[in-house]
Amino acid sequence: MTTYKRGHHSETYRIKAISRHWLGKKRLRDVSKDDVYDYREERLKCIQPSSLRRELNLLSHVWNTAKDEWGMPLPNNPFTKVPLPRMPASRQRRLSAEEEDLLLKSLGTPKNRSTEQIVRFAIATGLRRSEILRLEWTDIDKARRCLHVKDTKNGSSRWIPIMEEVAAVLRNQHDSQSSRVFPVSENALKLAWTRSLKKAGICDLHFHDLRHEALSRWADRLNGNVFKLRQISGHRTLTMVMRYVHPILDETYYGNAFSLSSSA
């Protein structure tokens, strides 16, 4: 059931959106491959390919569950007959020093105190938004100076070293009476984030981009050690981790420049 899944808020939102659509009003046994094609082309005019892939995967899962687990007499799954839209190139958006300064200044009010601390925490740790909001004080190991990320996207827990930037945020949050380090709802954070970007005049910056920025900084701190970086990021494959390793092409690493002229 959706309510017991990790990320159930997003899936519930998708289910509601599909239920309002003409396809969502059809009985499963009446859905044809042509319907799925039409749905795909129509939705691509409104949403990103990545979002459509999630919707089609969800509908395919509903079909398989109804047929295989509930025993409904359904034909072959039409959602597996329609090619999924191609995914765009992975985002490489990084937060510039100027943008970071503007963003934190826009959040520098008592009303936005919690959001400011969350943003600082995200930049320092590389945790996902959901991981930050679920973090509890019992997950903080003061003796070992690390925090335990238990409820993760891929289901594997990991430990993150507590650097001074992280320790400063934890000290600022320690007066909270909640069991959570950041007692803020996901919706409240989204609204505050949108307002702060508008106030700072920053365009095309997602909260998840802070994770890319943080892990890129971790890659520099770890001298490009992808094995250690994977422990920080929680990714299962080195291919995903390599997105955050940005080589510095200068003479420090590659020696002096060379000439392409014939006299060299």
Side-chain angles (χ1 to χ4, degrees), residues 4-29:
Y4 296 107
K5 291 182 179 179
R6 192 175 289 107
H8 62 90
H9 294 295
S10 299
E11 185 167 292
T12 299
Y13 178 84
R14 282 193 286 275
I15 291 172
K16 290 181 178 179
I18 294 170
S19 66
R20 294 191 294 267
H21 195 274
W22 59 263
L23 183 67
K25 301 183 186 304
K26 299 192 72 168
R27 293 180 296 184
L28 280 176
R29 64 173 177 266

Side-chain angles (χ1 to χ4, degrees), residues 1 17 23 35 37 63 83 85 87 102 106-107 130 137 147 162 189 195 197-198 200 208 216 218 228 230 243 246 264:
M1 293 179 65
L23 183 67
D35 289 330
Y37 268 110
W63 185 285
M87 292 288 285
L102 289 171
S106 71
L107 291 168
S130 58
W137 288 111
L147 56 91
I162 296 179
L189 178 57
R195 288 195 303 267
L197 290 182
K198 185 176 180 180
H208 194 72
S216 297
W218 269 108
K228 290 183 178 180
R230 186 172 67 171
R243 295 170 54 201
H246 304 275

Side-chain angles (χ1 to χ4, degrees), residues 30-42:
D30 295 332
V31 176
S32 66
K33 184 172 71 173
D34 289 338
D35 289 330
V36 182
Y37 268 110
D38 291 341
Y39 179 82
R40 185 189 68 176
E41 298 308 308
E42 183 178 325

Side-chain angles (χ1 to χ4, degrees), residues 81-100:
K81 308 297 182 182
V82 178
L84 295 174
R86 295 181 64 179
M87 292 288 285
S90 60
R91 253 179 99 81
Q92 299 292 329
R93 178 72 157 88
R94 293 196 61 175
L95 180 70
S96 70
E98 180 183 6
E99 287 177 329
E100 182 176 352

